[in-house]
Amino acid sequence: MFAAHTRRFFTAATAATGRHTPAHLHRCLATNSNSYVGFIGLGNMGASMALNLKAAGHKMCVYDVNSDVLKKFEEGGATIAASPAEVAAVSRVVVTMLPSSPHVREVTLKGVFSTALANSLFIDASTIDPATSRDLASTAEVEKACMMVDAPVSGGVVAAANATLTFMVGGPHEGYTDAKPYLETMGKNVVHCGPAGNGQVVKICNNLLLAISMIGTSEAMALGVRLGMDPKVLAGVLATSTGRCWSVDTYNPVPGVQEGVPSSRDYKGGFASKLMRKDLGLAMDAANSVGQTTPLGAVAHQLYSLISQHGHADLDFSSVFRYISSKKD
C-alpha cells in the first residue's frame, strides 16, 4: 500500500517539477506540506530524536530494521516505509542515525540516493569517519542535486529524550542554515564546525575525550569505594572539585549514585560499549592518517575492545566501571 503511494507521489513530483530542474524545487523545506520528514535508524538515540520531530508537528515517514519499533511509531501516527528508498521518495528532509560508516554508505548509496528528490536535504546524525561524510556529501551534490550535512550528536540517551542534544554540523553554510530548524527541534546546541566532514572530526575528538574521562572516573570511583568511601559522597565531592567532568556529575558509572542513567539500570540502554570501541577506532584511524600520537586514546581503545569481548559489548559504555571494579592486582 505504502509502496504504491510512494510511486504515485514520486511520479507526480517528478512530472510536476522536473527531476533535474532545481529552480522548480527551491528548498522551501519547512513549509512543504506535500512531503514528509524522513527518519532512518530508530535505535536508542534515533527513536527519541524522531519522536521529538513528530512532537513538533512534522509529518514523519520512518524506517528501521526493527519491526517492533516500527509498530510503535505506526501506532503513534507515523507513516512506515518498507525501505530507505521509500523514505527518500516522499521526504524533502531525511535524517539518518545509523551505527557505522558501512551502514551509512549502504543506506545512502543503495537506498536514499536511488529515489532522492532534487534539492532534498540529508542530515546524517551518525558517527562515522570524516572521509565517508565528505564522499557522500559530494555525491549528493554532484549526482543528485541535493545537499547533505554531517551532524553527529553529543549528550547521550537522556539528552536525546529531552531534546537537549548538541549537534556538530559539517557542510556548507546553506546546508547548516537549512538543517538548523530541524536540529533545534532535537537539541539545544547546534554548532557549524565548517565544511563537510568537520562535524565528524569534532565528534570523534569528543568521544576520544569522553572515553578517557569515563575510564578515569571509573578508576577513581572504584578506588574510593574500595578504600571505604560512600560512592554518593565521593561523586558529590568530585563534582565540585577539579576532577569534575560529565562522567562524574551527569553520567556517573557507579550504580545507585544517580537516577535515570544506565549505571542505575544494570547498564542497559544508553551508548553501547561496542559503539564506543567503534568511535575510538575511528579516532585512532584519523590520528594515524595525520601522524598524531594519542597514547591515552590507544589505551582506551584497547580497554573498550577488551570489555566488548567479555560480555560488555551491548552494555552502556559506563559499564567499564563494572569491569575495573571487579579486578584486583
Side-chain angles (χ1 to χ4, degrees), residues 44-46 48-49 52 153-166 186-188 246 249-252 258-265 268-271 316-317:
N44 291 332
M45 298 287 290
S48 293
M49 294 164 65
N52 285 328
V153 306
S154 181
V157 291
V158 175
N162 295 332
T164 56
L165 291 166
T166 291
M186 300 179 282
K188 68 175 183 178
W246 186 82
D249 64 14
T250 304
Y251 210 81
N252 198 280
Q258 292 174 339
E259 296 181 0
V261 295
S263 62
S264 292
R265 51 176 185 266
K268 295 177 181 177
F271 184 62
D316 183 72
F317 80 106

Side-chain angles (χ1 to χ4, degrees), residues 307-319:
I307 69 170
S308 293
Q309 295 167 8
H310 288 81
H312 292 247
D314 293 316
L315 299 180
D316 183 72
F317 80 106
S318 62
S319 66

Side-chain angles (χ1 to χ4, degrees), residues 2 36-51 53 60-66 69-70 73 79-91 93-100 103-116 121-127 148 186:
F2 180 79
Y36 294 82
V37 172
F39 206 107
I40 301 169
L42 303 170
N44 291 332
M45 298 287 290
S48 293
M49 294 164 65
L51 287 172
L53 284 167
M60 301 297 296
C61 179
V62 301
Y63 174 76
D64 193 89
V65 295
N66 187 331
V69 172
L70 290 178
F73 271 84
T79 297
I80 306 304
S83 68
E86 287 192 355
V87 174
V90 296
S91 304
V93 179
V94 178
V95 183
T96 47
M97 187 61 164
L98 301 166
S100 66
H103 292 94
V104 175
R105 280 190 177 276
E106 181 176 0
V107 165
T108 304
L109 295 175
K110 297 181 180 180
V112 171
F113 284 178
S114 68
T115 56
L121 173 66
F122 302 118
I123 303 170
D124 182 34
S126 316
T127 299
M148 185 169 188
M186 300 179 282

